[in-house]
């Protein structure tokens, strides 16, 4: 596609994103109140089917199954600044591992019955075609963000268009829930730069240790992020919010752009999307800046151990379902959360209401009166 066609695709996708259906959400909350359980007893899970009902415009919402995880892979020029102990070749090697079924994401996907698709959005090496691999290479990695923009404006636009295209293809093939995955050595550095740019937080607050770097490398990584933000005028969040594609082009990764497009594509298609960790979170900041309503059907699968991810979900108002100190990426946290999302929706489909089960509901008037009755000292004390 040409740059103008890519921009038209993005504009068309954003225009198709609508707010959550308030009537369907109201019906879902009323249904929730009639289920044979105390209201609120499922905690954070109770809001999931309500939001997905709003996304679908019906109650109960469709089951988010089958599910598909897309792993967007790309390399980063900032790797040259010594921010990771892993060689850049590992990106391509891990893509091969995904395709061979030998990674953690493959094991978790098999456990929950999700398909795995790997997307070459910008791997530095030229990959051979293989089943399960979509070659959508925008460039052979990004440039060093401390020396100039990570990518050109047209490359940033193309990366977002790639994500939209993949979302459309997976949904057309039958997926009814999308999950984000990623692979790219040094991508937590670019993620930290995006998170700092869109939240306005200082680099030291959002830059983590990625794959487990030592103190010296961590300090270098923070300074690399600070240098990049300073060079591109992104130390205040207004700059990023005012030009999200410009911020993406300046300090982001090709997989970040593709993930942002993936999120936009899912929202436009009214299909639920489960976010993984800090890489997906950074991309979600870009997507939300482009279309704030795009996150209506997004579920934060887990809270990453990376500090930038906590900052991201807090900024976006998302509540992660799983907190296991994960920092692997690949889509693993999203896959672990998938059964929780599906179980929350299944409750709406299969759990009886008080009326249908012949179970007596809580009597609010009597209970309220009892709770309001003054009580004396506890005789047990």
């Amino acid at each position: 596609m040409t740059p103008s066609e890519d921009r038209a695709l993005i504009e068309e996708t954003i225009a198709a994103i609508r707010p959550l259906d308030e009537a369907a959400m109201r019906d879902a909350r009323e249904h929730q109140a009639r289920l044979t359980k105390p209201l609120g007893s499922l905690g954070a899970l109770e809001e999931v089917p309500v939001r997905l009902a709003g996304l679908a415009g019906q109650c109960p919402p469709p089951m988010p199954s089958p599910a598909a995880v897309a792993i967007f892979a790309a390399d980063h020029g900032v790797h040259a600044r010594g921010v990771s102990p892993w060689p850049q070749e590992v990106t391509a090697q891990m893509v091969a591992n995904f395709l061979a079924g030998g990674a953690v994401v493959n094991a978790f996907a098999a456990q929950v019955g999700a398909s795995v698709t790997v997307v070459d959005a910008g791997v530095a090496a030229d990959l051979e075609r293989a089943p399960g691999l979509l070659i959508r290479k925008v460039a052979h990695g990004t440039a060093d963000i401390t020396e100039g923009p990570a990518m050109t404006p047209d490359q940033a636009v193309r990366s977002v268009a790639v994500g939209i295209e993949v979302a459309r293809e997976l949904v057309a093939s039958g997926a009814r829930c999308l999950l984000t995955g990623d692979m790219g050595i040094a991508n937590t550095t670019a993620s930290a730069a995006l998170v700092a740019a869109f939240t306005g937080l200082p680099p030291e607050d959002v830059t983590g240790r990625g794959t487990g770097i030592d103190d010296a490398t961590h300090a270098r990584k923070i300074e690399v992020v600070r240098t990049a933000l300073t060079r591109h005028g992104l130390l205040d969040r207004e700059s990023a919010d005012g030009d999200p594609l410009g911020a993406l082009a300046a300090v982001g990764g090709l997989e970040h752009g593709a993930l942002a497009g993936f999120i936009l594509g899912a929202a436009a298609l009214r299909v639920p999307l489960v976010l993984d960790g800090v890489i997906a979170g950074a991309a979600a900041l870009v997507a939300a800046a482009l279309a704030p309503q795009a996150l209506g059907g997004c579920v934060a699968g887990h809270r990453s151990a990376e500090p930038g991810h906590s900052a991201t979900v807090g900024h976006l108002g998302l509540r992660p379902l799983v907190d296991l100190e994960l920092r692997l990426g690949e889509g693993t946290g999203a896959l672990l959360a998938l059964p929780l999302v599906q179980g929350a929706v299944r409750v709406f489909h299969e759990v009886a209401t008080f009326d249908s089960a012949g179970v007596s509901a809580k009597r609010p008037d009597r209970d309220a009166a009892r709770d309001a009755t003054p009580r004396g000292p506890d005789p047990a004390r």
Side-chain angles (χ1 to χ4, degrees):
M1 295 178 70
T2 66
S4 61
E5 289 173 330
D6 287 334
R7 291 181 186 277
L9 174 61
I10 294 170
E11 292 171 2
E12 170 193 311
T13 302
I14 291 173
I17 298 172
R18 305 187 306 278
L20 298 181
D21 188 306
E22 292 291 342
M25 294 176 71
R26 182 174 60 252
D27 290 345
R29 290 193 175 96
E30 291 174 354
H31 183 72
Q32 184 87 259
R34 296 195 302 271
L35 295 175
T36 51
K37 63 177 185 59
L39 186 61
S41 58
L42 291 181
L45 290 183
E46 300 214 346
E47 188 62 19
V48 172
V50 172
R51 289 179 58 203
L52 297 193
L55 181 69
Q58 65 183 67
C59 177
M63 282 296 299
S65 179
V69 57
I71 306 173
F72 294 92
D75 279 306
H76 297 261
V78 74
H79 179 271
R81 300 275 71 84
V83 294
S84 173
W86 296 87
Q88 192 169 71
E89 293 77 15
V90 169
T91 301
Q93 292 165 356
M94 281 302 298
V95 167
N97 193 27
F98 298 147
L99 297 173
V104 176
V105 67
N106 302 107
F108 284 1
Q111 177 66 29
V112 300
S115 66
V116 177
T117 299
V118 184
V119 184
D120 175 6
V123 179
D126 288 318
L127 305 179
E128 294 184 3
R129 296 189 178 278
L133 174 65
L134 299 178
I135 298 180
R136 305 293 170 83
K137 196 187 299 289
V138 178
H140 287 77
T142 56
D144 183 352
I145 60 178
T146 65
E147 296 185 349
M151 57 190 104
T152 68
D154 285 349
Q155 287 172 340
V157 168
R158 172 92 279 261
S159 70
V160 176
V162 163
I164 294 171
E165 292 166 359
V166 172
R168 289 183 172 187
E169 290 173 24
L170 290 177
V171 172
S173 68
R176 293 299 175 263
C177 183
L178 301 180
L179 289 75
T180 67
D182 65 87
M183 180 62 217
I185 298 301
N187 64 6
T188 58
T189 302
S191 295
L194 285 173
V195 172
F198 282 96
T199 65
L201 293 170
E204 59 269 23
D205 287 358
V206 300
T207 306
R209 294 179 181 266
T211 52
I213 56 179
D214 59 23
D215 290 346
T217 305
H218 186 224
R220 184 185 312 121
K221 185 175 177 180
I222 292 171
E223 287 311 306
V224 164
V225 172
R226 192 188 317 278
T227 298
L229 294 171
T230 302
R231 182 180 185 92
H232 299 291
L234 291 171
L235 286 172
D236 62 277
R237 57 174 291 199
E238 286 77 15
S239 299
D241 284 338
D243 184 11
L245 289 178
L248 170 67
V251 299
L254 294 162
E255 76 271 49
H256 290 110
L259 284 164
F262 196 59
I263 294 166
L264 295 174
L269 294 167
R270 313 295 282 187
V271 172
L273 183 139
V274 185
L275 295 165
D276 195 41
V278 68
I279 315 302
L285 290 169
V286 177
L290 288 167
Q293 295 169 347
L295 299 189
C298 287
V299 177
H302 80 116
R303 184 186 303 278
S304 168
E306 285 286 297
H309 191 236
S310 288
T312 297
V313 294
H315 182 80
L316 295 174
L318 298 175
R319 181 172 180 176
L321 297 183
V322 176
D323 190 348
L324 296 174
E325 300 179 7
L326 305 177
R327 53 181 176 84
L328 177 57
E330 302 180 3
T332 50
L335 285 163
L336 287 176
L338 178 62
L340 298 178
V341 176
Q342 293 173 332
V345 174
R346 188 174 294 278
V347 165
F348 267 43
H349 285 265
E350 298 184 5
V351 173
T353 62
F354 286 107
D355 289 342
S356 67
V359 175
S360 298
K362 177 180 178 181
R363 288 176 282 186
D365 292 341
R366 186 193 68 178
D367 292 343
R370 182 196 63 196
D371 293 341
T373 301
R375 301 179 183 177
D378 187 339
R381 293 183 178 178

